[in-house]
């Protein structure tokens, strides 16, 4: 017999709040979400995605038009240029904010007036699956809640986590070099607030259950306005206990389960995605037992794939791929190779050695990239992320420097991403092959601005219509590859995947559809030299007709070889 929703919720709450009346708290949460206590659960292990799903990641104001709200311009660009290419759009924080390009939220229930309105958001949500950030770990120091914290009144009085400078905080895992505790003058004296990311981003206090209730109300508000995919920003840091690393604590995992339980009972089609930019093994824990995140970011993919293509050696990428467990049904990976943030280096821990990391950093700096750092528990500053546009990250090789293979290398990277197990996500500036925006970085003083350009839509459309422009070449080839991918059942996010062993310059894997009616051998030359692929090494079934979905080439002699130019890729399929 199925356990009632309320009973499940109470059991989870007891783990987080053992000293509280969790039955009363469960009733508050269910009332806030508008849920009945005995609601049946959604179908178990349900895949809310298929091979046609492609996510676009963009800021609300990445494309602009004079005299028009950016959300209106964005919708126009999506409908004119990407309506047959993407199924979902992740609009990065579109709320009023005070810093960090949106991730220091001042009001969770408002749309930034300079971007547009809730009506604009809802219009996009009617045409595409909408993914929004739930910036759940911290809030702006200029928010009303924090102003109330300083005045010592509600709502907000006890909404922010406070620390004590005398506590032993040496074990706390930090993603930044800024001070962890910030002194704040309040109406009843000086208090120290916990700031994982910056003094303008004050960590919320989930030890106060009223904060959880507030977020249940925020989640319901988003659901009512069409949000279907929830990105839990920086969620790994949610629960704090001095004397511990304050990352990945059990209460954090339990809170994710609680949010998932509430969200999927409200909308069985909704999806939770955890944003945990951490080493690979730690990242995998956010699947739980298929009861935490529906989807986790493949954070190790961007640095490993870039490293593969600039070294011409796929050893580490292949080792990583072989170690990745197949996601259970109802869960999957989100594959990306560029985002609004930099290329994370922590996800390479245990995958690249220190010398290899430094060689990669040196290459990226030679291509115009910058490096930001984090503070370790022993006081050392370690590289945290590389800030660079993906197009410029693939400008050349570690040994040879910049070369003429940049575009081919860039297309190869995305071809690999499109074929891997999971849902592909394209950052707008990768789809457009934007270059390093050094001027914007200098103007803002923030390294991440190097990959957060803004396009004037008329100029962008001119570039995309110019056949000689690298923006046009990249955009048209990537949208062509996406169109091919979306029609292949073997590219379902949960389809079978096996790694192929073809040497260090050929990265390959095999995908098979869940109905076993299609196989695709995905083979990629990740070097700047011509490579020969003996077809005998990939065991094509002799009775099937094989064709490269990318070029249209047919395989007439299965005992022969195929020749791959530098960075050329093939998707050999037994079904057109």
């Amino acid at each position: 017999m199925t356990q009632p929703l309320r009973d499940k919720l109470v059991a989870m709450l007891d783990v987080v709040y053992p000293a509280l009346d969790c039955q009363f708290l469960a009733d508050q949460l269910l009332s806030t979400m508008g849920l009945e206590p005995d609601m049946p659960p959604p179908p178990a292990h349900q895949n809310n995605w298929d091979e046609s799903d492609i996510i676009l990641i963009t800021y609300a104001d990445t494309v602009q038009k004079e005299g028009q709200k950016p959300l209106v311009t964005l919708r126009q660009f999506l409908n004119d240029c990407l309506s047959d290419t993407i199924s979902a759009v992740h609009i990065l924080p579109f709320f009023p904010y005070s810093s960090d390009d949106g991730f220091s939220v001042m009001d969770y229930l408002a749309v930034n007036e300079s971007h547009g309105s809730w009506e604009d958001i809802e219009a996009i949500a009617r045409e595409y699956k909408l993914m929004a950030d739930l910036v759940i770990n911290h809030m702006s120091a200029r928010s009303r809640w924090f102003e109330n914290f300083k005045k010592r009144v509600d709502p907000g009085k006890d909404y922010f986590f406070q620390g004590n400078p005398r506590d032993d905080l040496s074990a706390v895992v930090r993603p930044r070099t800024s001070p962890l505790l910030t002194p704040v003058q309040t109406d009843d004296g000086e208090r120290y607030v916990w700031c994982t990311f910056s003094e303008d981003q004050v960590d919320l206090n989930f030890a106060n259950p009223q904060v959880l209730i507030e977020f249940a109300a925020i989640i319901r508000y988003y659901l009512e306005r069409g949000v279907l995919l929830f990105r839990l920003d920086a969620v790994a840091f949610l629960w704090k206990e001095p004397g511990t690393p304050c990352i990945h604590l059990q209460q954090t995992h339990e809170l994710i389960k609680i949010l998932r339980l509430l969200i999927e009972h409200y909308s069985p089609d909704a999806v939770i995605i955890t944003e945990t930019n951490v080493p690979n093994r730690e990242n995998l824990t956010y699947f739980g037992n298929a009861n935490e995140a529906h989807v986790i970011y493949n954070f190790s993919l961007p640095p490993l794939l870039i490293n593969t293509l600039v070294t011409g050696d796929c050893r580490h990428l292949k080792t990583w791929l072989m170690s990745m467990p197949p996601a259970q049904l109802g869960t999957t990976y989100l594959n990306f190779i560029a985002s609004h943030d930099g290329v994370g280096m922590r996800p390479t821990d245990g995958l690249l050695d220190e010398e290899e990391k430094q060689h990669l950093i040196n290459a990226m700096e030679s291509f115009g990239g910058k490096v930001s750092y984090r503070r370790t528990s022993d006081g050392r500053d370690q590289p945290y992320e590389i800030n660079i546009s993906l197009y410029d990250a693939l400008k050349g090789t570690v040994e040879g420097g910049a070369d003429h293979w940049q575009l081919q290398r860039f297309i190869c990277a995305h071809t690999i991403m499109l074929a891997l197990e999971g849902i592909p996500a394209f950052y707008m500036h990768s789809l457009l092959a934007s270059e390093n925006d050094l001027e914007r970085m200098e103007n803002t003083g923030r390294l991440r601005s190097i990959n957060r350009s803004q396009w004037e839509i008329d100029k962008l459309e001119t570039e995309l219509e110019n056949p000689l422009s690298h923006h046009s070449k990249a955009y048209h080839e990537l949208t062509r590859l996406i169109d091919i991918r979306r029609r292949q059942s073997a590219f379902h996010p949960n389809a079978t995947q096996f790694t192929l062993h073809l040497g260090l310059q050929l990265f390959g894997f095999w995908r098979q559809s869940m109905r076993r009616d299609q196989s695709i051998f995905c083979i990629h030359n990740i070097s700047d030299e011509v490579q020969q692929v003996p077809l005998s090494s990939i065991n094509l079934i002799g009775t099937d007709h094989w064709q490269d979905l990318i070029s249209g080439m047919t395989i007439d002699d299965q005992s022969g070889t195929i020749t791959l130019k530098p960075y050329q890729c093939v998707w050999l399929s037994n079904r057109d």
Side-chain angles (χ1 to χ4, degrees), residues 496-570:
T496 299
Q497 176 174 284
F498 284 109
T499 308
L500 302 177
H501 298 277
L502 303 170
L504 299 181
Q505 284 71 52
L506 293 168
F507 178 61
F509 48 91
W510 171 71
R511 303 295 308 278
Q512 184 183 59
S513 65
M514 291 188 287
R515 297 189 303 272
R516 299 188 179 183
D517 61 341
Q518 184 184 29
S519 289
I520 302 179
F521 289 88
C522 308
I523 305 172
H524 319 85
N525 181 358
I526 51 85
S527 78
D528 56 5
E529 298 179 349
V530 172
Q531 300 292 327
Q532 301 292 331
V533 184
L535 291 174
S536 59
S537 66
I538 56 176
N539 298 318
L540 301 180
I541 298 173
T543 56
D544 287 353
H545 168 76
W546 295 90
Q547 179 180 12
D548 174 24
L549 297 172
I550 297 175
S551 68
M553 172 190 68
T554 58
I555 303 296
D556 297 319
D557 180 8
Q558 295 184 19
S559 64
T561 62
I562 54 175
T563 302
L564 295 186
K565 300 174 184 176
Y567 307 106
Q568 184 181 351
C569 308
V570 291

Side-chain angles (χ1 to χ4, degrees), residues 49-186:
W49 46 77
D50 62 25
E51 59 272 17
S52 68
D53 279 303
I54 304 287
I55 299 174
L56 177 74
I57 307 167
T58 183
Y59 280 101
D61 59 353
T62 294
V63 288
Q64 302 183 355
K65 184 175 184 178
E66 187 175 354
Q68 190 174 73
K69 293 290 187 180
L71 282 168
V72 176
T73 310
L74 174 61
R75 182 178 174 224
Q76 174 189 327
F77 177 75
L78 295 177
N79 290 341
D80 289 348
C81 299
L82 296 175
S83 61
D84 296 327
T85 300
I86 65 168
S87 60
V89 58
H90 172 198
I91 306 179
L92 291 155
F94 46 79
F95 318 106
Y97 69 95
S98 55
S99 65
D100 199 17
D101 284 350
F103 285 92
S104 186
V105 178
M106 297 172 64
D107 185 349
Y108 291 106
L109 302 182
V111 173
N112 188 332
E113 289 184 1
S114 65
H115 294 339
S117 65
W118 275 116
E119 287 73 18
D120 298 321
I121 293 292
E122 290 168 5
I124 293 173
R126 285 192 293 270
E127 295 163 343
Y128 305 90
K129 297 176 185 177
L130 178 61
M131 179 170 163
D133 288 274
L134 193 65
V135 186
I136 196 169
N137 179 70
H138 49 261
M139 195 178 189
S140 169
R142 290 173 51 192
S143 64
R144 181 173 68 93
W145 284 358
F146 196 66
E147 288 299 319
N148 287 348
F149 172 86
K150 291 188 291 184
K151 294 175 183 175
R152 310 309 297 143
V153 299
D154 285 323
K157 178 184 175 185
D158 298 311
Y159 281 14
F160 296 90
F161 195 83
Q162 299 177 62
N164 188 329
R166 292 188 294 275
D167 286 339
D168 179 8
L169 304 177
S170 60
V172 176
V173 172
R174 297 298 317 285
R176 299 288 185 273
T177 57
S178 56
L180 177 61
L181 300 182
T182 298
V184 175
Q185 195 63 41
T186 74

Side-chain angles (χ1 to χ4, degrees), residues 219-233:
I219 287 167
R220 181 177 179 181
Y221 191 83
Y222 291 177
L223 285 163
E224 289 171 345
R225 275 143 193 82
V227 175
L228 200 61
L229 295 85
F230 290 81
R231 178 185 182 269
L232 305 189
D233 177 63

Side-chain angles (χ1 to χ4, degrees), residues 359-561:
H359 284 159
L360 176 61
I361 288 171
N362 292 344
M364 295 302 99
E365 289 181 325
S366 74
F367 299 153
K370 307 294 180 181
V371 181
S372 60
Y373 293 82
R374 67 182 181 93
R375 183 74 41 84
T376 62
S377 59
D378 59 3
R380 293 180 299 116
D381 289 348
Q382 290 274 53
Y384 178 70
E385 68 179 18
I386 302 169
N387 301 108
I388 192 169
S389 78
L390 182 64
Y391 187 68
D392 280 340
L394 298 173
K395 184 179 288 187
T397 64
V398 168
E399 297 295 332
D403 59 27
H404 63 284
W405 296 109
Q406 183 176 10
L407 181 61
Q408 291 86 347
R409 202 177 281 117
F410 180 78
I411 297 297
C412 177
H414 286 96
T415 307
I416 291 171
M417 181 190 78
L418 278 167
L420 287 169
E421 175 190 353
I423 303 170
F426 284 79
Y427 183 44
M428 176 77 87
H429 289 300
S430 291
L431 202 58
L432 303 176
S434 299
E435 298 155 293
N436 289 336
D437 194 336
L438 299 177
E439 182 180 356
R440 185 174 177 82
M441 181 183 69
E442 291 168 4
N443 288 341
T444 66
R446 297 190 298 272
L447 297 184
R448 284 177 168 177
S449 297
I450 198 171
N451 195 27
R452 297 180 179 179
S453 297
Q454 293 175 322
W455 279 93
E456 199 283 318
I457 194 166
D458 291 337
K459 180 180 179 182
L460 175 58
E461 289 174 346
T462 298
E463 286 287 344
L464 296 183
E465 291 168 2
N466 177 6
L468 300 180
S469 165
H470 79 267
H471 302 292
S472 176
K473 292 175 182 177
Y475 164 79
H476 284 99
E477 181 60 11
L478 290 178
T479 53
R480 185 181 80 89
L481 289 169
I482 291 169
D483 180 62
I484 295 170
R485 177 244 160 53
R486 296 183 74 185
R487 291 182 276 115
Q488 313 308 321
S489 58
F491 285 153
H492 186 286
N494 294 91
T496 299
Q497 176 174 284
F498 284 109
T499 308
L500 302 177
H501 298 277
L502 303 170
L504 299 181
Q505 284 71 52
L506 293 168
F507 178 61
F509 48 91
W510 171 71
R511 303 295 308 278
Q512 184 183 59
S513 65
M514 291 188 287
R515 297 189 303 272
R516 299 188 179 183
D517 61 341
Q518 184 184 29
S519 289
I520 302 179
F521 289 88
C522 308
I523 305 172
H524 319 85
N525 181 358
I526 51 85
S527 78
D528 56 5
E529 298 179 349
V530 172
Q531 300 292 327
Q532 301 292 331
V533 184
L535 291 174
S536 59
S537 66
I538 56 176
N539 298 318
L540 301 180
I541 298 173
T543 56
D544 287 353
H545 168 76
W546 295 90
Q547 179 180 12
D548 174 24
L549 297 172
I550 297 175
S551 68
M553 172 190 68
T554 58
I555 303 296
D556 297 319
D557 180 8
Q558 295 184 19
S559 64
T561 62

